[in-house]
């Protein structure tokens, strides 16, 4: 009797563990569990961790997206490494076992596209699209820099990842049809980088913004970026009046969450830097003077490390336009 009871309770415990663990999730320990979520008709996004690449997130930190079509799938930004791509494919297969027909890469930063290798290995026929400047940089020095950086930051978790750059160029206004799905490319550059594309899925009115927008996370602006260009790109994206927007990092949603908070932030940085510049203040003086006015953003991941850099980058841009 006791034995029978023990067996029963063991079975209940196993059943409980089985039910409590999300079946459709990639478990990254303290980083959380990750799975694709439906955000629009036939559109799914796996919202990645807001953290920086590290051994605990295996380098995974972006928002891979999928469009489910009749005969196959289209993927946006599959992730940051070969190994991450393999995990992303496993999660994709829980949504649909159709083959991947095409991939779009939003920009040169490796956390978005180094997983192309895993897609190409499993689906050699998949066509990969990107901006011509992104293709050139990925095949050049930037590709190598990103492979090395990702491997270093994850302490070897992305070892063996190789550059698989897009082969097919898309620019502002390009229309692409894949298996009856229509995509329109919006390339307002320079913005987050000088390689960005925003991808509109026409049928569902979804816009994949790449890193032109973030939600509850700050990112850095590299040497090719333009903060003023980023403002223009987000004003343009807002005017497209899409039903759903997918930022490069942070939750997808309507324009009032996926665009407006970051756009307002950039506009406020522009305003305080312009005022400080007109008053002959240096960038660090502006930072100290205004940081208290940005309390809405201090909870965003990376605010502390990025705010001073953002003031500095904006200062340099405003200084350039003043001459
Ligand atoms: Zn980026």
């Amino acid at each position: 009797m006791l034995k029978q009871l023990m067996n029963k309770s063991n079975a209940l415990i196993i059943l409980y563990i089985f039910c409590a663990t999300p079946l459709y999730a990639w478990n990254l320990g303290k980083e959380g569990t990750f799975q694709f979520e439906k955000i629009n008709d036939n559109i799914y996004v796996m919202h990645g961790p807001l953290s920086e690449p590290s051994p605990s997130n295996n380098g995974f930190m972006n928002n891979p997206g999928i469009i489910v079509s009749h005969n196959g799938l289209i993927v946006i930004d599959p992730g940051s490494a070969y190994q991450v791509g393999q995990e992303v494919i496993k999660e994709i297969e829980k949504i649909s076992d159709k083959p991947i027909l095409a991939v779009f890469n939003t920009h040169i930063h490796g956390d978005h596209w180094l997983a192309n290798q895993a897609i190409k290995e499993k689906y050699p026929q998949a066509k990969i699209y990107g901006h011509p400047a992104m293709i050139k940089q990925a095949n050049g020095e930037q590709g190598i820099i990103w492979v090395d950086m990702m491997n270093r930051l994850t302490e070897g978790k992305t070892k063996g990842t190789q550059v698989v750059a897009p082969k097919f160029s898309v620019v502002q206004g390009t229309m692409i049809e894949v298996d009856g799905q229509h995509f329109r490319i919006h390339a307002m550059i320079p913005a987050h980088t000088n390689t960005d594309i925003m991808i509109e899925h026409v049928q569902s009115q979804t816009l994949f913004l790449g890193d032109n927008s973030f939600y509850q996370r700050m990112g850095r602006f590299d040497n090719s970026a333009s903060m003023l260009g980023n403002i223009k790109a987000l004003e343009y994206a807002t005017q497209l009046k899409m039903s759903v927007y997918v930022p490069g990092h942070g939750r997808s949603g309507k324009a009032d969450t996926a665009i407006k908070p970051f756009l307002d932030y950039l506009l406020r940085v522009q305003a305080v830097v312009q005022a400080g510049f007109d008053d002959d203040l240096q960038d660090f003086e502006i930072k100290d003077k205004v940081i208290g006015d940005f309390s809405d953003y201090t909870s965003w991941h990376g605010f502390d490390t990025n705010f001073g850099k953002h003031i500095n980058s904006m200062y340099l841009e405003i200084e350039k336009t003043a001459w």
Side-chain angles (χ1 to χ4, degrees), residues 107-109 111-112 146 192-193 196 210-211 214 220 249:
H107 65 295
I108 183 63
H109 293 160
D111 53 313
H112 295 260
W146 273 101
H192 173 67
T193 68
D196 309 296
D211 281 358
F214 301 117
R220 68 195 181 94
H249 304 271

Side-chain angles (χ1 to χ4, degrees), residues 36 42 44 65-76 88-89 91-104 119 123 126-127 178-179 181 183:
F36 280 92
N42 303 317
Y44 298 77
I66 48 175
I67 293 96
V68 179
S69 188
H70 190 63
N71 297 302
L73 310 173
I74 299 100
V75 174
I76 316 284
V88 170
I89 289 171
E91 293 307 313
I92 289 174
E93 287 170 350
K94 292 169 185 171
I95 302 293
S96 169
D97 59 3
K98 293 174 185 175
I100 294 171
L101 305 173
V103 176
F104 288 92
I119 307 263
Y123 303 102
K127 282 181 153 186
V178 184
D179 191 34
Q181 304 299 313
F183 298 91

Side-chain angles (χ1 to χ4, degrees), residues 26-34 49-52 54-58:
W26 174 21
N27 190 343
L28 271 173
K30 67 172 186 177
E31 300 276 346
T33 53
F34 300 90
L50 297 177
S51 47
E52 312 302 321
S54 70
S56 69
N57 63 25
N58 295 3

